[in-house]
Amino acid sequence: MDGVKKGKRAMQPEKVENNWTLLRRALKAALTFLPALLFWELLLSIQLEGKFALPAGMLLFLPAQCAALGFLPCLCPNERAGRVFCLIELAGLCLFYGANLIYFRIFGSLIPLSMIGMGMDAVTNFGWALRSTLKESVGWILFLLLPLVLYVPGLRHFRPNFSLRGVLPRAVLSLAAIVLWLLGAVSLPLGGTEPQSVYAAYHDAGISSNDSAARLGVLTSTLLGLRGETAQEMDLLSDGNEEVPVYPLVKEELPAEEAAPQLPETMAVAPAEAAEAKVIDRSGPNILPEIDFAALAEGTQNKALKELSEYFGAKTPTSRNAYTGMFADCDLIYICAEAFTSWAIDPQITPTLYRLSTQGILLPNYYNSFRNTTTNGEFAFLTGLWPDTSRNANEGSSMGSMSQSAENTMPFGLGTMFRQQLGASAYGYHNYLGSYYNRKNSLENLGFTTKFMDDGMTFSSSWPASDLEMMQQSVDDYISGGQYVAYYMTFSGHGPYTPDNVIYEKNIKTLESLLNGRSMNAKVKGYLACNLELEYAMEYLLQRLEEAGRLERTVIVIAGDHYPYYLDVPAVSALLGHTVEAQFESGHSGCILWSGALEEPIVNEVPCCNVDLLPTVLNLFGLEYDSRLLAGTDVFSDGLHAAVLYNRNFVSEVMMYEYASGKFQWTGPKEDFEKTAARAYYKSMCSWLNRNIAASLSVVANDYYDYVWTASGLKAAETDAE
C-alpha cells in the first residue's frame, strides 16, 4: 500500500509540469498569429486611411483574437491535424483581408455585413472591373500573401496539439479568448467616451464599416457586426426632445435673410394649356393636419412606433415660403447621376452640364453625404431619409434601405405625390437590371412606371451601359403628354476609369481632342471620358425638349449618388490645381437645380446635402407634405440647415466639425465666437444628427409611415382618390 501511495505521489509533479508545458505551447501557438494580424491590419489601414498607422482600438482586442486563433488548433487530435487547421485559419484570414482590400478598391468601402450579398453580386456582375482592379492591386495582393508564404514552411515545426486530460489546459483554452475580449471591452472607457472615441465606435451600431475599422481594426469591426445589433435599437431617439441646435451668441445677432427675389412672370401663372392657374398657399407650416403625433403615440403599445411618434411630435415643422409652388405647373426630370460631382463640369468638355450648372437655382454649398454605394445616395435623394450605412446586418435589409423600403408604405415617393396631387404621370429608368438592388420593386413602390435593361430597354453594353442610349429610349414615353416626373439613375460614370471600361473606350479620343493638348491626370481623364456620356444624354434631352416646346416648363435636378471613389486625392488635387482637404473638400459636390423659365440665377448659400433635395423639390412644386417626417430640410425654409458627410462630419451655417477628431472650425462672424458656447453647440449638433439618422433607420425598419397613414386615415383617403 505504501508503495502504491508513493508511486501516485511521485506522479503528481510530472503532471503539473506537463500542464504548464502544454499551456506554454498553446501560448506560443497564439503568438504565432500576432505578427500576421498586425501586418494585415496595417496594410488595410494604409489603404483605408492613407497613412502608416494601426487603429488604436485594434490593440485592445488583438490578444483575444490571437488566443482564439492559436488555441483552436491545439484542440485537434494530433499534430498533423493541428497544423492543417492552422493553415486553414491563415488562408482564411488572408482571403478575408484580401476580399476587403479588393472590395474597397472597387466600391470605396470595406465589406459591411448588411451589404455582403449585394457586394458579391456586384463583383460577379462586372468581371471586367474586377480584372482591372486585380491588375492594379498586384503589389497589394503579394504583400497580403507574405504571412502565408512565410508561415507555411515553418508549420512543420509547429506542435499545436496536446492531450486534454488535464482540467487546467481545458479551462484555459475555453475561457482565455472570452476573458481577454472582455478585458479589452472594459478598458475602452480609459481612452474617453466622446463620440469620436474608440469606446463610441465599439458601442455605436450605426457607425459605418470604414469608420469602425479605422478605429477598431477590420477584424474587430467585422466581429462586432456579427452581433446583429441595429442602430435604431440604440435608444438615440430618447435623448431628450428634438431641439434645433442654435449657437447662443448668434441667434439674434446674425443678419436677417434677404428677401426672396421676385418670381419670373412665366412661373407666376400656369402654362397656356392649363385651364387656370393653381392657387398656392405660401403661409403656414409644412404639415399634414390629419397627423396627430400625440394620438399616434398613445394609440400603440409598440415601443418603436411610440418612440418615433414622440420624436416627430417634438420636431418643429418648416414653414412654407416665397418659393412654395414656384414650379407647380412644370415637368420634373430628377436624375441621380453615377459618381457625379462639379469636377465633371467643364465649359469646353461638357457645355450642356455647364449651362445647367450656371443657370437656375444655384447651391454652392451642396455636399454629397456618401463616399460609396449607389443605393445609399439614391435612397436619400428619393426619400429624404438617411439610409442604413452601418456595419451591422439588419434582418430584411441585406441589400440596404432602398431594397427594404420596397415592402413599406412610402407616401412621399415623387412618383406617388405627382400622381396623387398633380394628376401627373411618373416614370423611372435605369440602364441596368431592375433586379439589381431590388430597384424595380423599390421604384415602383415610390410611384414610378419603370423601364430597365432587358425590361423595356436594350443596350449595346452591359456594364456600364450608355446614358445616352437610355435617354434615347425613354424620352418619347413622356414628352408629348401632360405634366410628368421622370426619374433616371444613370450608369455611364461608373469606374474603374480604365481602358477596360467600354464607356472610357468609346469617349477617350473625343475627350483628348476636347482637351486640345491640355495635360491631365490619367484617372481624371478617364473620369471625364465616362462622364461625356452623361453630357451627350443631357444634350439630347434638352434638344428634344426644345423641339417639343417644353423646355421652358421643365425643371431638371441632377445630383451624384456618391463621391467618385475611383479618384484618389492626388488625382483630384491634380484636377483642381491644389491639394484637396479630404475631410470636407472631397464631399463638396455639385448639384444642378435648373429651370428653363428662370431668367436669372437664384443663389442659395445654405449648407445642404442629399436628403435636403426631396423636401426642397416638394416645396418648389407646392406638394403637400409633413416636413417633420423627413430627415432633410427644404433649402428655402426656416429650419436647421447643415450638410452631413458619410463620416458624420458636418458643415452648418456657423461651423465645420470633424467628427473623428472632435475639432471644429468656426465659419460664422468672428465677433460672435466664444469657445465654450461653440463646444456646447457642436455637442447639441452631434446629438441632433444621431437622432435624425436613427429616426430614419427606424422609420424604414418599422414601416412607420404605414402606421401613421393607416392610423390617421390618410391611406384610405388616398385609395378613394385613386
Side-chain angles (χ1 to χ4, degrees):
M1 292 290 294
D2 291 341
V4 174
K5 291 180 180 179
K6 289 181 180 179
K8 288 183 178 181
R9 285 197 297 270
M11 291 175 63
Q12 290 301 319
E14 181 180 349
K15 182 177 180 181
V16 173
E17 181 181 356
N18 187 48
N19 282 341
W20 284 111
T21 300
L22 297 176
L23 288 175
R24 285 197 299 271
R25 189 184 300 174
L27 179 61
K28 184 177 179 181
L31 293 175
T32 301
F33 287 89
L34 178 63
L37 286 176
L38 287 172
F39 182 80
W40 282 321
E41 289 285 352
L42 182 60
L43 281 184
L44 267 294
S45 179
I46 293 171
Q47 183 68 210
L48 185 65
E49 295 290 296
K51 57 185 180 182
F52 194 84
L54 284 168
M58 184 208 71
L59 299 176
L60 291 175
F61 300 99
L62 188 60
Q65 293 161 8
C66 289
L69 291 167
F71 292 175
L72 285 175
C74 294
L75 302 179
C76 293
N78 55 64
E79 290 186 3
R80 182 176 181 181
R83 284 194 289 267
V84 171
F85 191 87
C86 185
L87 181 60
I88 292 173
E89 285 184 316
L90 285 167
L93 285 169
C94 189
L95 180 62
F96 166 77
Y97 283 102
N100 272 283
L101 173 73
I102 298 303
Y103 190 93
F104 179 85
R105 292 175 72 84
I106 294 177
F107 299 108
S109 78
L110 301 173
I111 303 176
L113 293 176
S114 59
M115 295 294 291
I116 195 167
M118 284 307 299
M120 296 304 102
D121 191 17
V123 170
T124 58
N125 272 275
F126 62 113
W128 68 269
L130 179 59
R131 291 193 301 271
S132 178
T133 304
L134 287 173
K135 285 191 293 185
E136 292 180 348
S137 307
V138 170
W140 289 93
I141 294 171
L142 291 176
F143 270 114
L144 276 168
L145 292 172
L146 190 59
L148 197 61
V149 173
L150 293 176
Y151 273 51
V152 171
L155 285 180
R156 59 192 177 89
H157 301 296
F158 189 45
R159 300 179 61 196
N161 77 290
F162 54 80
S163 169
L164 292 181
R165 288 174 298 173
V167 176
L168 184 59
R170 188 180 300 174
V172 169
L173 293 183
S174 300
L175 298 175
I178 297 174
V179 171
L180 288 171
W181 184 279
L182 292 175
L183 285 174
V186 298
S187 301
L188 288 170
L190 298 177
T193 58
E194 292 293 314
Q196 54 281 144
S197 66
V198 175
Y199 173 89
Y202 183 90
H203 291 285
D204 182 4
I207 193 171
S208 70
S209 299
N210 285 16
D211 289 340
S212 178
R215 292 183 235 174
L216 294 165
V218 179
L219 184 56
T220 303
S221 180
T222 302
L223 292 172
L224 288 173
L226 295 174
R227 297 185 304 183
E229 181 185 18
T230 56
Q232 66 270 10
E233 295 170 353
M234 294 295 290
D235 293 328
L236 292 175
L237 302 183
S238 61
D239 186 19
N241 290 331
E242 173 68 7
E243 297 177 356
V244 176
V246 176
Y247 187 71
L249 300 183
V250 301
K251 182 176 181 180
E252 302 297 336
E253 298 175 13
L254 284 177
E257 294 183 6
E258 296 180 3
Q262 193 68 33
L263 301 182
E265 291 185 5
T266 53
M267 301 309 304
V269 297
E273 59 268 29
E276 60 182 18
K278 292 181 174 69
V279 178
I280 303 297
D281 180 7
R282 295 190 171 92
S283 62
N286 277 309
I287 63 170
L288 296 177
E290 298 88 346
I291 298 177
D292 182 343
F293 288 110
L296 290 171
E298 288 292 326
T300 180
Q301 297 301 313
N302 182 289
K303 179 182 177 182
L305 299 180
K306 181 183 291 289
E307 191 174 48
L308 282 170
S309 298
E310 293 171 350
Y311 168 79
F312 289 120
K315 289 183 67 174
T316 302
T318 61
S319 299
R320 298 187 182 101
N321 48 69
Y323 297 90
T324 302
M326 184 178 185
F327 299 141
D329 300 294
C330 291
D331 303 320
L332 173 63
I333 297 175
Y334 203 62
I335 301 174
C336 189
E338 173 65 42
F340 175 78
T341 72
S342 56
W343 308 331
I345 301 173
D346 183 277
Q348 280 73 47
I349 299 173
T350 54
T352 305
L353 291 173
Y354 181 78
R355 171 190 174 187
L356 295 175
S357 68
T358 54
Q359 300 173 6
I361 296 174
L362 309 184
L363 302 174
N365 288 316
Y366 176 82
Y367 288 76
N368 195 320
S369 300
F370 304 98
R371 176 177 172 80
N372 64 292
T373 310
T374 291
T375 187
N376 289 334
E378 186 180 20
F379 180 78
F381 184 61
L382 282 169
T383 68
L385 296 172
W386 293 108
D388 186 354
T389 62
S390 68
R391 68 186 172 207
N392 294 331
N394 184 12
E395 184 179 355
S397 62
S398 60
M399 293 179 287
S401 298
M402 186 74 174
S403 176
Q404 187 183 8
S405 72
E407 305 299 324
N408 288 10
T409 295
M410 299 297 289
F412 298 136
L414 271 178
T416 299
M417 298 195 76
F418 264 69
R419 289 177 187 273
Q420 292 179 348
Q421 297 190 33
L422 301 179
S425 302
Y427 303 90
Y429 306 98
H430 177 48
N431 40 343
Y432 195 55
L433 303 175
S435 59
Y436 197 68
Y437 283 132
N438 197 25
R439 192 173 270 118
K440 179 178 176 67
N441 292 333
S442 300
L443 292 185
E444 291 182 352
N445 191 46
L446 294 174
F448 297 106
T449 300
T450 61
K451 284 185 178 180
F452 296 92
M453 177 184 289
D454 299 333
D455 183 9
M457 296 186 290
T458 58
F459 297 90
S460 58
S461 62
S462 60
W463 192 300
S466 167
D467 296 341
L468 173 60
E469 292 177 7
M470 174 171 61
M471 199 64 71
Q472 290 170 333
Q473 296 179 79
S474 59
V475 170
D476 287 330
D477 292 342
Y478 53 77
I479 200 167
S480 58
Q483 188 177 14
Y484 66 85
V485 54
Y487 170 70
Y488 289 91
M489 178 67 237
T490 74
F491 196 5
S492 297
H494 205 293
Y497 310 116
T498 66
D500 293 322
N501 187 322
V502 292
I503 303 299
Y504 173 102
E505 279 294 287
K506 176 185 176 183
N507 296 329
I508 189 62
K509 290 184 179 179
T510 301
L511 175 69
E512 289 173 343
S513 66
L514 292 172
L515 289 174
N516 196 25
R518 186 171 51 168
S519 62
M520 185 171 287
N521 177 282
K523 290 183 179 180
V524 174
K525 187 186 293 186
Y527 173 67
L528 292 178
C530 291
N531 274 279
L532 270 180
E533 202 70 9
L534 177 62
E535 166 70 15
Y536 298 152
M538 299 311 299
E539 181 182 25
Y540 174 83
L541 174 62
L542 264 61
Q543 179 183 342
R544 291 294 308 275
L545 289 171
E546 190 165 17
E547 291 172 352
R550 299 184 75 125
L551 188 60
E552 288 192 356
R553 58 169 292 181
T554 299
V555 175
I556 298 175
V557 180
I558 305 177
D561 54 346
H562 53 67
Y563 170 84
Y565 50 83
Y566 283 99
L567 296 184
D568 53 22
V569 171
V572 178
S573 298
L575 172 65
L576 300 182
H578 65 272
T579 301
V580 171
E581 195 283 304
Q583 287 292 343
F584 292 101
E585 193 172 1
S586 61
H588 197 183
S589 188
C591 173
I592 291 172
L593 211 170
W594 180 88
S595 167
L598 288 178
E599 299 172 356
E600 297 292 334
I602 297 173
V603 181
N604 188 321
E605 296 187 351
V606 301
C608 54
C609 57
N610 310 59
V611 293
D612 300 316
L613 293 177
L614 179 71
T616 299
V617 168
L618 295 181
N619 180 68
L620 288 170
F621 277 81
L623 295 167
E624 296 179 5
Y625 73 104
D626 199 308
S627 58
R628 296 169 294 181
L629 285 168
L630 297 178
T633 305
D634 165 29
V635 299
F636 293 108
S637 76
D638 51 359
L640 171 65
H641 299 291
V644 181
L645 303 185
Y646 70 96
N647 50 12
R648 297 200 188 185
N649 292 355
F650 69 76
V651 180
S652 74
E653 294 175 282
V654 293
M655 181 180 290
M656 300 178 75
Y657 176 73
E658 186 179 314
Y659 190 84
S661 66
K663 298 178 181 178
F664 66 87
Q665 177 184 346
W666 178 256
T667 57
K670 292 183 179 179
E671 62 272 18
D672 293 326
F673 174 74
E674 196 279 320
K675 191 171 183 179
T676 301
R679 289 186 181 278
Y681 169 79
Y682 78 63
K683 287 182 178 180
S684 67
M685 279 289 294
C686 288
S687 178
W688 165 81
L689 172 59
N690 287 340
R691 296 197 305 273
N692 200 17
I693 293 174
S696 290
L697 271 58
S698 189
V699 162
V700 177
N702 295 287
D703 199 4
Y704 180 68
Y705 288 158
D706 184 74
Y707 170 65
V708 174
W709 256 246
T710 301
S712 303
L714 290 167
K715 181 174 284 190
E718 290 176 356
T719 302
D720 293 341
E722 293 175 356

